[in-house]
Amino acid sequence: MKKFSAVLIAIFMLIFAAGCGENSGGRSHSNLIGITLPDQTVRRWIKDGDHMKELLEKKGYHVDLEYAENNIDMQISQIDDMIKHGAKCIVVSAVDSTKLLDVLNKAKKNNIPVIAYDRLLMDTDAVSYYATFDNKGVGILMGEYVENKLGLKEGKGPYNVEFFAGSHDDNNAHFVNSGVFEVLQPYIDKGQLIVPSGQTDFDLICTLRWSQEVAQKRMDHILAEYYKDDKKVDAVIVPNDRIGYGIGNSLANAGYKVGENWPLITGQDAELQAARYILSGRHAMTVFKDTRVLAEKCVNMIEAVLNGTEPEINDTTSFDNHKFVVPAYLCTPVVLDKNNVKEILVGSGYYTEAALESNEN
Ligand code: BGC
């Protein structure tokens, strides 16, 4: 009988422990904050997530940090789970925000405030605030970099250029692209920039899910089709570092050599690999968006919505998501090239010098 009771107690303890385990494992929790980010391939999202988690945990919140790995259904079920587990606030950087309408409505019905992180949530009123970078500004910085390096203001040219844009379902891709063309379109019109492929429309130059492979294939095709007979590409306007890796592969396969006839390649995100490529001359520049700053702004928004106060906002006009103009905080992007990449990234502690000199990602 004694033995039997001991077994019963053990079973009870196990069940109890399992229940606790669920609570302490990022699920139902009295001060749970849910965060879902698009993927881990683009390395910045890992920094965004880690930093938000760290800041929130320091303040005593419990964080469920998820990555959707570019899978729309996975992101829907992540948000659904966060709602089920009673999240107090949900931070979303959408894979494709137009597919999240139902689950965001569900959050709203459950009185859970949602904050759009980096990417705007379109077509919904179930979003309180938007924390991001000046994405049009990112494109302007890329355009101006090319303008300066090619001496376009001084009337130099003609140069052969090709354009790439981000994913059509990411509002940021449109903003970045509008910044690029605001600066460079006048030079296309004047004939200082020539686009041998003829592809400048967003629908032709966009890259689904910002995929390196998709971009590389398109570049392979462009080089094979429009750069026959020794024609050379002088600049490729590339919307983020990862797409730049694909463009670089394609150029190398076609025989271009860094330091000889390598074109100017732009980028965004200041990934470790891109920083190394800038130092080696493979990429010309990247636009650095300090994810630590963005994470901090977002955490301030979370606290404000939970405390019923107003967060710091610096834009109330730019982000019409087709339902309303979402109040936003825009952080400032910074250009990095070989002259300042190490100083800024290592100097600010974004990366260590050892990481920059290693092979890690
Ligand atoms: C972000 C970029 C990122 C891209 C691909 C965009 O929404 O603003 O920083 O490179 O998504 O993940």
Side-chain angles (χ1 to χ4, degrees), residues 105-291:
N105 255 336
K106 196 167 167 186
K108 189 180 175 191
K109 277 193 194 124
N110 283 274
N111 294 318
I112 304 172
V114 170
I115 292 173
Y117 187 83
D118 197 84
R119 298 179 176 177
L120 186 57
L121 292 165
M122 303 301 291
D123 305 314
T124 180
D125 60 2
V127 51
S128 304
Y129 295 104
Y130 178 35
T132 192
F133 279 85
D134 175 1
N135 286 293
K136 182 167 179 197
V138 170
I140 290 177
L141 290 175
M142 289 171 182
E144 288 178 345
Y145 193 86
V146 172
E147 181 186 45
N148 287 333
K149 288 290 155 186
L150 298 185
L152 297 174
K153 267 192 193 152
E154 292 78 59
K156 289 193 185 154
Y159 295 104
N160 292 328
V161 297
E162 295 296 336
F163 292 89
F164 284 74
S167 197
H168 71 92
D169 48 12
D170 178 351
N171 197 49
N172 289 349
H174 298 267
F175 271 104
V176 172
N177 199 55
S178 72
V180 165
F181 277 92
E182 186 171 296
V183 180
L184 297 182
Q185 183 66 48
Y187 298 109
I188 299 177
D189 296 341
K190 281 190 243 170
Q192 282 173 266
L193 294 180
I194 292 171
V195 188
S197 70
Q199 297 172 8
T200 52
D201 285 353
F202 185 86
D203 291 349
L204 295 174
I205 66 174
C206 66
T207 313
L208 186 65
R209 299 281 121 75
W210 300 78
S211 155
Q212 172 180 335
E213 292 73 24
V214 168
Q216 183 168 337
K217 273 199 193 117
R218 184 172 156 247
M219 190 66 189
D220 287 345
H221 177 74
I222 287 175
L223 290 175
E225 202 54 38
Y226 305 101
Y227 288 82
K228 293 172 187 152
D229 310 326
D230 285 344
K231 190 182 278 190
K232 179 185 162 292
V233 58
D234 298 301
V236 191
I237 290 72
V238 176
N240 80 350
D241 294 341
R242 204 137 274 269
I243 290 184
Y245 308 155
I247 304 305
N249 292 341
S250 179
L251 289 163
N253 292 340
Y256 284 81
K257 297 238 165 359
V258 176
E260 290 176 26
N261 56 357
W262 195 259
L264 200 152
I265 296 179
T266 64
Q268 169 182 206
D269 291 338
E271 289 202 349
L272 253 183
Q273 185 57 44
R276 291 184 200 116
Y277 279 159
I278 288 173
L279 292 171
S280 73
R282 183 167 152 137
H283 286 195
M285 61 87 84
T286 187
V287 179
F288 175 42
K289 303 188 300 180
D290 193 332
T291 50

Side-chain angles (χ1 to χ4, degrees), residues 77-96:
S77 74
Q78 286 169 348
I79 299 173
D80 212 31
D81 276 354
M82 290 166 187
I83 297 170
K84 271 190 207 129
H85 292 110
K88 294 288 167 282
C89 179
I90 302 179
V91 175
V92 180
S93 192
V95 173
D96 177 348

